[in-house]
Amino acid sequence: MERKVFLKNMGLGIMGFLYAAKSFAEEPKNLKNNTMEKFDIHVFPALPYAYDALEPNIDARTMEIHYDRHHRAYFNNFTAAIKGTNLENSTIEQIFSKVSEAGDAVRNNGGGFYNHVFFWNNLAPKSAGPSADLTTALTREFGSFEKFKELFSNSAKTRFGSGWAWLYVTADKKLAVGSTPNQDNPLMDVSPVRGTPLLTIDVWEHAYYLKYQNKRADYVEAFWNVVNWEEVSKRFKEAVR
Ligand code: MN
């Protein structure tokens, strides 16, 4: 090997090592976790896995920017918007149920804060299937599990502009699929789809553009490989109780 090539390779090796060490050091840890059952509006929760945990379906760079920049900004702006108001002592459910009265800063940033926590928690590196009870309910409502996936995927693909697709439980305890614009969600009084959310996908371009560019459909298909069905099944059990 030529000396020049050898030195170049060695240099790349060191850079690779430094990059890996840096990524490891920057992974979120020792942050208090936030659960959906008892959602703490004052806590910016840890990501439940490493940035690269969902590769290749969701790439590490996207996860890092999405969590650490986009999500954190929604949390910070929400915190600023409720500071000094009586909303500081409310639950997220109370805030969303009257969000039309709270103003756009609370609606957009509160939604952005909550929806992303919800989204991170319904993703996981290893995906088993839904529980027997949830499978039965999905089949009853949509005809089959595959038909449900198709409906949900179409809802995600056809949401014009930025927003979210949802599987949720309606007030009369039925499963339903729909989408919301911007950072709205089914807990909000302004939302045309209302109920208890079980599963969501972020279809803002920032969620997929680095890896998939304009191909939202490919991102939606890859999403199914990393759905945390244990979490979704748990949410379903609580929602229909
Ligand atoms: Mn997002």
Side-chain angles (χ1 to χ4, degrees):
M1 192 186 281
E2 271 184 52
R3 187 179 147 77
K4 214 163 78 178
V5 173
F6 171 75
L7 286 174
K8 187 176 163 225
N9 286 347
M10 200 174 82
L12 289 173
I14 289 169
M15 275 167 62
F17 173 77
L18 289 174
Y19 181 75
K22 185 167 171 283
S23 295
F24 181 74
E26 285 177 0
E27 266 167 25
K29 55 188 166 214
N30 299 327
L31 288 169
K32 191 178 155 192
N33 211 346
N34 204 342
T35 62
M36 304 318 298
E37 298 84 41
K38 206 171 181 308
F39 190 88
D40 189 335
I41 66 166
H42 303 288
V43 173
F44 183 67
L47 197 62
Y49 33 72
Y51 291 135
D52 64 359
L54 307 181
E55 290 265 15
N57 303 288
I58 301 177
D59 63 287
R61 185 74 177 134
T62 297
M63 279 303 300
E64 181 176 358
I65 296 171
H66 201 174
Y67 169 78
D68 200 43
R69 311 271 180 84
H70 292 278
H71 189 198
R72 195 184 293 279
Y74 288 121
F75 172 74
N76 290 341
N77 292 334
F78 171 69
T79 302
I82 64 167
K83 196 176 167 64
T85 75
N86 58 6
L87 297 181
E88 274 189 309
N89 301 314
S90 304
T91 66
I92 201 75
E93 289 84 2
Q94 288 167 341
I95 294 172
F96 287 159
S97 69
K98 290 182 179 177
V99 83
S100 58
E101 298 165 22
D104 286 347
V106 172
R107 174 179 175 177
N108 294 332
N109 295 297
F113 168 38
Y114 177 88
N115 293 355
H116 285 94
V117 177
F118 198 91
F119 181 52
W120 309 140
N121 281 287
N122 75 209
L123 298 176
K126 283 221 171 70
S127 180
S131 67
D133 286 351
L134 179 54
T135 303
T136 302
L138 288 168
T139 305
R140 192 188 305 135
E141 192 59 47
F142 305 108
S144 69
F145 181 60
E146 286 308 312
K147 281 187 179 151
F148 150 70
K149 278 173 69 175
E150 200 182 315
L151 193 71
F152 186 96
S153 292
N154 282 337
S155 186
K157 290 173 197 170
T158 58
R159 160 51 51 192
F160 184 76
S162 300
W164 302 74
W166 304 89
L167 170 68
Y168 60 100
V169 175
T170 62
D172 56 353
K173 309 271 181 191
K174 287 183 76 176
L175 288 171
V177 163
S179 73
T180 53
N182 305 314
Q183 296 294 354
D184 290 354
N185 67 50
L187 296 173
M188 292 182 174
D189 63 348
V190 290
S191 176
V193 298
R194 295 290 304 277
T196 306
L198 303 181
L199 172 69
T200 194
I201 181 171
D202 185 346
V203 293
W204 282 60
E205 281 187 344
H206 67 227
Y208 61 87
Y209 207 84
L210 283 181
K211 182 178 169 74
Y212 296 95
Q213 289 84 49
N214 59 319
K215 301 188 190 81
R216 185 192 287 185
D218 291 357
Y219 158 70
V220 173
E221 287 313 308
F223 160 82
W224 293 112
N225 298 326
V226 287
V227 171
N228 184 348
W229 284 110
E230 288 74 19
E231 173 71 14
V232 179
S233 301
K234 199 174 78 186
R235 291 171 182 172
F236 172 68
K237 196 175 169 186
E238 281 155 16
V240 297
R241 186 158 52 195

